[in-house]
Amino acid sequence: PTDFSKIAGNAIDYAVELAKSTQAKLILFHVFQIPVIPGEVPIMLPIDEMEKNAMDGLNKIRESIISKGENKLVIECKCESGLAAEEINLCAEKNKVDLIIMGMAGAGYLTEKIVGSITTSLIRKTTYPIVVVDKHVKFKNMKRIALACDFSESGKKTVLKPLKKLADLFKSHIYIVNVVPKSETIAPISMAVAGIKLDHLLETTAHSFHYIKNDDVIEGLNKFIKDKEIDML
């Protein structure tokens, strides 16, 4: 999905490199909103013109990608009117996508200052895997993937399926990291059982378990990402 911003443009660059690495088709998608005109007199809105402008913008991006030598990449352009998160989800459903790639203007590797954004809204609503790309992040082979895990959903194969696919494609090592309070001394039995299940589900993928003591989960994850030189969280 793109709103034609620099942040979205950076995510498209990432998506292009990932599509090349996986021989995937790339769908460029834009959602435009029809303005609400108050008043009793009906006003004809230039919807056709808005759609044309959106498609022109998408085709320019497509042509730019091809001009850089990516002529073997299959690229489709689509647009719809409506609410962004809902339409992106519908587009994913209609086209049976494997992955949604979106940009985000974060303050670092991970931040809580994302509530209310389209990306966050979509993450909460969709059942499709999403790769969120910070505005400063460039694509590189995912040799080290961190799985931030509290073990509550770790026993579900559906949660791990897209992660395993990516890890297998890039021959990645998955670092399963759990951030626990400094005061915690013994892991609950339920967590240990969930860890055993997770170990079994990832038995064909290189992985390791890591427990970080920090009272601030985000701070703990950021430190782990830096120390281990993680490529994807």
Side-chain angles (χ1 to χ4, degrees):
T2 178
D3 59 0
F4 304 116
S5 66
K6 285 185 179 180
I7 293 166
N10 185 58
I12 288 172
D13 291 342
Y14 193 99
V16 167
E17 294 301 321
L18 186 55
K20 281 164 55 182
S21 300
T22 56
Q23 288 85 53
K25 178 169 74 174
L26 181 64
I27 297 173
L28 299 173
F29 184 62
H30 175 72
V31 181
F32 61 92
Q33 285 189 313
I34 300 169
V36 178
I37 310 295
E40 297 178 2
V41 181
I43 297 174
M44 295 296 292
L45 296 171
I47 297 171
D48 291 344
E49 186 179 337
M50 293 172 72
E51 185 174 356
K52 180 183 180 301
N53 290 340
M55 287 304 295
D56 286 348
L58 292 171
N59 281 314
K60 280 182 183 177
I61 296 171
R62 181 178 180 275
E63 288 164 12
S64 175
I65 294 168
I66 293 170
S67 71
K68 294 173 184 174
E70 311 302 347
N71 51 357
K72 291 183 180 179
L73 197 61
V74 178
I75 306 171
E76 285 187 18
C77 298
K78 298 177 184 287
C79 71
E80 292 289 346
S81 63
L83 299 173
E86 283 76 3
E87 291 300 329
I88 294 166
N89 197 40
L90 281 171
C91 177
E93 192 176 312
K94 288 175 186 174
N95 294 280
K96 298 178 180 178
V97 306
D98 299 298
L99 201 62
I100 299 170
I101 300 178
M102 296 183 71
M104 180 176 282
Y109 291 109
L110 189 66
T111 178
E112 288 183 306
K113 298 175 184 176
I114 56 178
V115 178
S117 73
I118 292 168
T119 303
T120 310
S121 177
L122 187 63
I123 287 169
R124 289 172 175 162
K125 292 176 181 177
T126 193
T127 56
Y128 292 87
I130 300 178
V131 170
V132 179
V133 184
D134 182 88
K135 61 182 177 181
H136 300 298
V137 171
K138 302 300 177 186
F139 179 85
K140 58 180 176 178
N141 284 340
M142 304 166 205
K143 294 302 179 186
R144 297 164 175 254
I145 299 176
L147 170 61
C149 182
D150 63 2
F151 299 104
S152 61
E153 297 289 326
S154 60
K156 294 185 178 180
K157 289 182 181 179
T158 52
V159 175
L160 296 173
K161 193 175 180 181
L163 176 64
K164 281 173 61 68
K165 278 187 177 181
L166 278 175
D168 291 343
L169 278 167
F170 291 96
K171 296 180 172 57
S172 314
H173 184 101
I174 297 176
Y175 294 76
I176 302 148
V177 55
N178 179 230
V179 182
V180 297
K182 291 179 180 178
S183 58
E184 193 167 301
T185 53
I186 302 172
I189 294 173
S190 58
M191 186 181 288
V193 171
I196 292 168
K197 286 182 180 179
L198 185 56
D199 190 42
H200 176 69
L201 289 170
L202 292 173
E203 62 182 350
T204 58
T205 305
H207 65 280
S208 54
F209 289 86
H210 304 265
Y211 298 89
I212 308 299
K213 286 199 171 187
N214 198 309
D215 292 328
D216 186 313
V217 174
I218 292 173
E219 184 183 286
L221 286 174
N222 278 334
K223 188 175 185 306
F224 183 84
I225 289 164
K226 186 177 180 180
D227 293 345
K228 296 292 184 183
E229 299 180 337
I230 297 297
D231 300 311
M232 173 178 273
L233 174 65

